[in-house]
Amino acid sequence: MPKILSVKQLYAADTATVKKNDISFIDLMEHVGTLCFQWIHDRLQGDPITIQIFCGTGNNGGDGLVIARHLKQYGYNVKTHIINCGNDRSEVFLKNYDRLKEIGVWAEMITCESELPAVSENDMVVDAIFGLGLSRKPENLIKKVIEHINGSNAFVLSIDFPSGLYAEKSVTDTVSVVKAYHTLTFQTPKLAFLLPENRYYTKTWEVLDIGLDAEYIYNAKTDNYLLYKQDIKPMYRFREKFSHKGEFGHAVIIGGSYGKMGAVTLSTKAAISIGSGLVTAHIPQCGYQIIQTSVPEIMVEVDAENEMQKFDININATVIGIGVGMGTHIETVKGFTEFLNKNKVPLVLDADALNIISKNKELLKLVPENSVLTPHPKEFERLVGKWKNDYDKLKKLRSLSKKHKIIIVLKGAYSAIAHEGALFFNSTGNPALSTAGSGDVLTGIITGLIAQNYHPFEAAKMGVYLHGKTSELAMKTKVYETFIASDIIDYLSSAIMDLLMKEPKVVPQKEAESKNDKKAKPDEGTEMYI
Ligand SMILES: NC(=O)C1=CN([C@@H]2O[C@H](COP(=O)(O)OP(=O)(O)OC[C@H]3O[C@@H](n4cnc5c(N)ncnc54)[C@H](OP(=O)(O)O)[C@@H]3O)[C@@H](O)[C@H]2O)[C@H](O)CC1
Ligand SMILES: [K+]
């Protein structure tokens, strides 16, 4: 599972790599810079645009100088600038400065504002000012350079980090951070890229495997992980030939109120679609016909007329998903409180179940261990109060989950799943999921997975992953705006199939070119994993 390492661990990984792998730091930097150059070259293919490289005087700047040298040697139109960041110059920065001179290139020194080079919107900017080593907010000349880059409208590629963005704390001066289009970050994902407060600093990012010591990374302890397909795939359970619906559990969804029956419709439909053996909707009477007509595959139990009051479930439920569209009527609050007092079944709590708990936090003590809570940020704020910044929010997330031994899915662009003090960030999804009912579907998916005996932690990770994946797969025929919550359910099969497909083999470009005459089979790389 991809680990998100701390700055300290990344520096230690460097040291371990140099020590154990018989490679000097200058060679490591050469390797890193060459990878970045290759990334650029693969995309530009010799395009004569101007590439402006802005370097600091630490090792991030050193990477920039390596990139500049290789680009120059390949005939690119490169302008290299070094920003006077003070008197310190790292040893490998200086070495690469000399290597650049050796091929006849003198980097321009920017020592004052009047020396800022013109940057056109048609240029490409490589930002190699600061990386992991940023120790304070950029000021004076450096801030001016960053503002100049941001004002240019050029395509900005940041090396390792958008300069000015801290790896593990919040930015205090939002204008002194480079706003990159893309960031090539080294070896591991960075926590900073997953936080909404940093959304404007890099539109996209990717991890370059720079070959840091695998043993160090394997043994490094962390509480932050990014979930990818390879982490979810092994969880998937194939059905046996003689299996029957009795083996796949009974999911109950409690919720709904007058005018909000759509939420239960979506949740129950998602629970049955993800494979729960049986599904029952426990709803107010006003929703009876609606649910029976819209989801014929499920059963229905009714409560009071227009909202939930009694919560008298007469089913041997494997798991109960509760709260969607439920409202917070005074009688609902009363009934829900009594329900929590009596209930022993694992729960998935969403929406109004969370809103009711927010108003009486003592209720959290009644939530069974390993239940799953699925708040969106506003619901989470109601539960834990305001946070100072996104790092503080994550701290609150860990501590609430740990304190009550529950799993919390904090929904967002990188939904964070908290379990036993650790955070697991989801990597799938896109803004198409920002649509009404999307959360109700997620509740149904997670509930339906738990019904099938997936551990609630597994169900949360797999559910969030598949939910996100549907939105990616749908973009072949839809756009963000036209994708609605029902589409998530419709695309669940595709998301599961995608999970089971082997990854297409990535052939390095040179190898691919040399094999050009040998035609690839059309279905190569899409073989089923069975
Ligand atoms: N394992 C890897 O990931 C590899 C990373 N590489 C690259 O190295 C950088 C990290 O390099 P480092 O030299 O440690 O740090 P930076 O280049 O980011 O910057 C450090 C220098 O900048 C000064 N600094 C920091 N903040 C400011 C500021 N606001 N204003 C002015 N100057 C600043 C800092 O000064 P101090 O006073 O704090 O000491 C340093 O002089 C990593 O990100 C990768 O790009 C390697 O290429 C290979 C392996
Ligand atoms: K940078």
Side-chain angles (χ1 to χ4, degrees):
M1 189 179 311
K3 291 177 175 178
I4 299 170
L5 298 185
S6 66
V7 172
K8 207 170 151 197
Q9 287 173 319
L10 284 166
Y11 279 123
D14 268 5
T15 312
T17 309
V18 170
K19 235 189 204 165
K20 284 171 39 193
N21 297 277
D22 200 21
I23 180 173
S24 63
F25 195 73
I26 184 79
D27 287 346
L28 179 60
M29 183 175 278
E30 184 66 21
H31 172 61
V32 171
T34 309
L35 288 175
C36 296
F37 153 74
Q38 195 62 49
W39 188 97
I40 299 169
H41 180 49
D42 284 349
R43 279 146 192 89
L44 290 186
Q45 296 287 316
D47 194 306
I49 60 161
T50 305
I51 305 173
Q52 309 235 28
I53 306 188
F54 290 86
C55 302
T57 50
N59 294 340
N60 195 254
D63 293 340
L65 295 177
V66 177
I67 298 168
R69 171 161 39 86
H70 287 291
L71 285 170
K72 198 77 197 168
Q73 283 172 327
Y74 266 73
Y76 282 95
N77 179 15
V78 187
K79 291 184 179 161
T80 310
H81 315 282
I82 294 169
I83 302 135
N84 191 5
C85 297
N87 295 328
D88 284 347
R89 273 131 181 73
S90 85
E91 213 181 302
V92 277
F93 165 87
L94 288 172
K95 182 93 187 144
N96 275 306
Y97 182 69
D98 288 343
R99 286 183 178 178
L100 196 60
K101 275 198 293 189
E102 279 161 24
I103 64 157
V105 179
W106 291 81
E108 299 283 337
M109 201 71 183
I110 304 175
T111 56
C112 60
E113 208 180 331
S114 62
E115 289 170 358
L116 285 175
V119 182
S120 138
E121 62 179 356
N122 301 319
D123 296 351
M124 175 178 179
V125 168
V126 176
D127 152 37
I129 307 172
F130 300 123
L132 280 181
L134 181 78
S135 56
R136 53 200 180 275
K137 65 176 184 190
E139 287 176 315
N140 307 320
L141 178 64
I142 310 167
K143 183 172 173 172
K144 289 275 177 251
V145 174
I146 290 174
E147 284 174 338
H148 187 62
I149 293 172
N150 289 343
S152 69
N153 255 339
F155 177 92
V156 179
L157 177 71
S158 284
I159 303 303
D160 207 14
F161 275 89
S163 298
L165 178 64
Y166 296 107
E168 42 204 26
K169 66 176 187 179
S170 291
V171 165
T172 49
D173 180 7
T174 54
V175 291
S176 63
V177 187
V178 166
K179 293 188 173 66
Y181 272 79
H182 193 67
T183 299
L184 296 177
T185 200
F186 300 152
Q187 200 63 46
T188 67
K190 307 297 184 299
L191 190 56
F193 299 162
L194 311 181
L195 306 178
E197 69 180 27
N198 294 331
R199 63 203 283 180
Y200 300 114
Y201 305 133
T202 186
K203 283 191 207 296
T204 52
W205 56 272
E206 71 186 82
V207 175
L208 279 192
D209 181 351
I210 60 167
L212 294 187
D213 187 62
E215 194 186 343
Y216 176 86
I217 295 173
Y218 181 81
N219 291 322
K221 291 205 171 16
T222 178
D223 284 335
N224 298 308
Y225 300 86
L226 189 60
L227 293 171
Y228 285 115
K229 181 172 173 170
Q230 71 264 25
D231 308 305
I232 307 298
K233 194 168 176 170
M235 293 175 199
Y236 183 80
R237 301 201 200 125
F238 287 92
R239 290 194 173 183
E240 287 171 16
K241 186 173 178 180
F242 291 98
S243 57
H244 55 87
K245 66 173 186 264
E247 294 171 23
F248 302 119
H250 193 157
V252 173
I253 301 288
I254 304 178
S257 52
Y258 186 82
K260 286 189 182 163
M261 290 314 301
V264 185
T265 309
L266 288 166
S267 262
T268 50
K269 203 167 175 186
I272 195 86
S273 301
I274 199 70
S276 179
L278 296 167
V279 177
T280 295
H282 189 95
I283 52 166
Q285 281 171 27
C286 64
Y288 183 75
Q289 279 198 336
I290 301 170
I291 296 280
Q292 287 287 56
T293 324
S294 37
V295 201
E297 295 84 356
I298 67 156
M299 296 170 284
V300 182
E301 263 193 359
V302 291
D303 200 274
E305 181 56 41
N306 286 330
E307 68 280 317
M308 289 295 307
Q309 294 188 11
K310 297 182 238 159
F311 292 80
D312 50 352
I313 291 102
N314 296 305
I315 296 153
N316 199 4
T318 322
V319 51
I320 298 174
I322 187 162
V324 298
M326 191 165 77
T328 54
H329 189 281
I330 185 159
E331 291 301 325
T332 307
V333 175
K334 215 170 122 201
F336 176 66
T337 308
E338 281 164 20
F339 163 81
L340 281 184
N341 268 297
K342 282 188 279 180
N343 173 62
K344 298 274 177 284
V345 176
L347 299 177
V348 178
L349 296 132
D350 188 27
D352 290 321
L354 299 175
N355 292 333
I356 295 173
I357 292 176
S358 298
K359 295 220 165 116
N360 179 6
K361 308 244 167 49
E362 286 298 296
L363 292 179
L364 263 179
K365 291 186 184 146
L366 303 173
V367 171
E369 272 183 25
N370 279 325
S371 287
V372 181
L373 274 62
T374 57
H376 57 56
K378 202 71 214 165
E379 287 161 349
F380 186 61
E381 189 186 303
R382 289 184 199 121
L383 278 172
V384 297
K386 285 205 181 309
W387 44 82
K388 286 181 249 151
N389 54 50
D390 283 345
Y391 291 96
D392 188 36
K393 176 179 70 182
L394 296 184
K395 203 169 143 200
K396 287 176 186 289
L397 181 60
R398 278 180 224 279
S399 93
L400 189 72
S401 132
K402 221 171 159 183
K403 181 170 171 198
H404 294 281
K405 298 194 167 77
I406 50 178
I407 295 141
I408 309 178
V409 177
L410 177 59
K411 294 179 281 197
Y414 293 96
S415 292
I417 300 156
H419 178 56
E420 293 180 351
L423 296 181
F424 300 79
F425 293 86
N426 182 45
S427 61
T428 59
N430 60 41
L433 291 169
S434 311
T435 182
S438 173
D440 305 327
V441 172
L442 180 66
T443 299
I445 294 175
I446 297 175
T447 310
L449 287 169
I450 299 174
Q452 292 169 78
N453 209 21
Y454 284 93
H455 184 280
F457 175 46
E458 275 190 342
K461 288 188 285 186
M462 194 180 206
V464 171
Y465 177 89
L466 291 174
H467 182 266
K469 197 70 197 178
T470 62
S471 67
E472 293 175 8
L473 297 170
M475 291 308 109
K476 286 177 193 142
T477 52
K478 284 183 168 275
V479 294
Y480 292 162
E481 292 80 357
T482 62
F483 183 85
I484 56 172
S486 311
D487 293 324
I488 304 173
I489 301 172
D490 291 346
Y491 275 90
L492 273 177
S493 296
S494 313
I496 294 174
M497 278 194 259
D498 179 85
L499 185 69
L500 305 179
M501 296 284 186
K502 268 188 181 164
E503 284 299 301
K505 270 187 205 138
V506 180
V507 185
Q509 201 193 349
K510 279 193 184 130
E511 208 181 308
E513 278 163 8
S514 67
K515 286 183 182 162
N516 227 2
D517 44 349
K518 289 183 213 156
K519 285 224 164 64
K521 288 185 214 125
D523 60 347
E524 227 170 38
T526 55
E527 196 184 328
M528 290 289 280
Y529 182 72
I530 38 180

